[in-house]
Amino acid sequence: MTGGGAVAVETAPLVDAAARDAYAALAAASPQRTVFAGLAFADAACAAFGLGGRIALGRAPDGQATIGAVLFEKRTGPLRQIVVPPLTPYTGPLFAGEVGIGSADTVRTFLAAVTKGAASVAFHLSPAVADVRPFLWAGFDATPRYTYWGASGLDAAPHYVRRRLKRYAPHRADGTVRPDGTTTARDDEAAAEVVQATADAFTRRGLPAPVDAGTAEALVRSLVAAGVARIVVAETDGQRVGAVATLADDRTGHFWNGAGEPGPAMMLMMAATSAGLAADGVQSFDLAGANLASIAAFKAQFGLPLAVHYRVSWTGARALRLRDALRAA
């Protein structure tokens, strides 16, 4: 245990039952919590990407956990790095309340413990952390990232989007079937199709897939098995034309992985997913990234507010600082 400042910080392996219970209790009430900060995602990501996992908790003098994070550990030779896994838009830390000037001592003490013995540390904060000054004051850098995040459902979408949904949906307003309609259905066995659809979308943009197909499929299957992922597929004329995996907790559904062929498939899958989330009581929907121009332009059509979140990072190892400087040159 590392003392000092506003909290005492302890770390434990990801499998430690007591640490998991304490972290889960903190996450349940934290304003910054997303499904990506949950233990089910941490377990699946560590297994898929071969990462080590630890839980760091900062406790107040009364023993209450007030800050915590899952630390994803990567080893490169002698260097130990705390990383953001691939396909992970948000990590931690999570706080028991809001983040601001009053959090500075807590953040400084927590990050001092997390960086000890590490060559580098990075987190992707959720959009609920609007004030990143405590991280800057603790010696971290902050880089803005963007997503669209707002009320679940497509009621806020522009009229032409809703018109397209009506035009291509399989059923007319009178209930009759439209022969040229694109159908959607939930199919949680379609992990391979989600991965292939994503790879095809990157290929159309001249970009490589973010991770290899086998690893991505294993991750999707693990998250479906854990009950935090759902898959919706689209078909036209009996052929699959898209598949999307969405991750959700009781607060937010995250449009996470997958794509549709050019045409109405993507809009229809998003509409079906959004309707399913709303029926389950989920109140908000995150389009999980708007950092590439073409992707941001497509997602902007759905009328959700633009949200800013931050990558905060620290590099202590000289070799890594030199590497980063060469990459930026």
Side-chain angles (χ1 to χ4, degrees), residues 61-143:
D62 63 1
Q64 185 73 24
T66 60
I67 184 172
V70 173
L71 308 179
F72 296 99
E73 297 184 340
K74 175 183 177 182
R75 293 278 180 173
T76 305
L79 299 180
R80 171 178 163 268
Q81 298 173 263
I82 307 301
V83 301
V84 177
L87 304 178
T88 308
Y90 317 110
T91 52
L94 304 180
F95 296 78
E98 302 296 336
V99 184
I101 292 176
S103 310
D105 287 346
T106 295
V107 170
R108 184 181 299 110
T109 303
F110 184 80
L111 294 180
V114 168
T115 57
K116 186 176 181 179
S120 65
V121 175
F123 297 110
H124 281 182
L125 306 178
S126 86
V129 182
D131 188 350
V132 296
R133 289 175 299 172
F135 293 88
L136 299 175
W137 295 334
F140 273 54
D141 295 321
T143 304

Side-chain angles (χ1 to χ4, degrees), residues 193-202 204-205 232-234 241-245 255-262 265-266 269:
E193 293 173 68
V194 170
V195 173
Q196 187 60 56
T198 301
D200 291 344
F202 274 84
R204 288 194 292 270
R205 293 181 173 88
V232 169
V233 298
V241 292
V244 170
F255 180 78
W256 173 60
N257 201 356
E261 294 180 7
M266 183 63 76
M269 288 188 294

Side-chain angles (χ1 to χ4, degrees), residues 181-218:
T182 297
T183 62
T184 58
R186 184 165 173 176
D187 181 1
D188 287 344
E189 298 299 318
E193 293 173 68
V194 170
V195 173
Q196 187 60 56
T198 301
D200 291 344
F202 274 84
T203 298
R204 288 194 292 270
R205 293 181 173 88
L207 299 170
V211 297
D212 70 87
T215 300
E217 184 177 342

Side-chain angles (χ1 to χ4, degrees), residues 11 43 97 152 194 209 267 269 311:
T11 66
D43 292 337
S152 158
V194 170
M267 283 188 176
M269 288 188 294
R311 174 184 173 88

Side-chain angles (χ1 to χ4, degrees), residues 14 69 151 168 182 231 297 323:
L14 183 59
Y168 290 103
T182 297
I231 299 174
R323 180 204 64 184

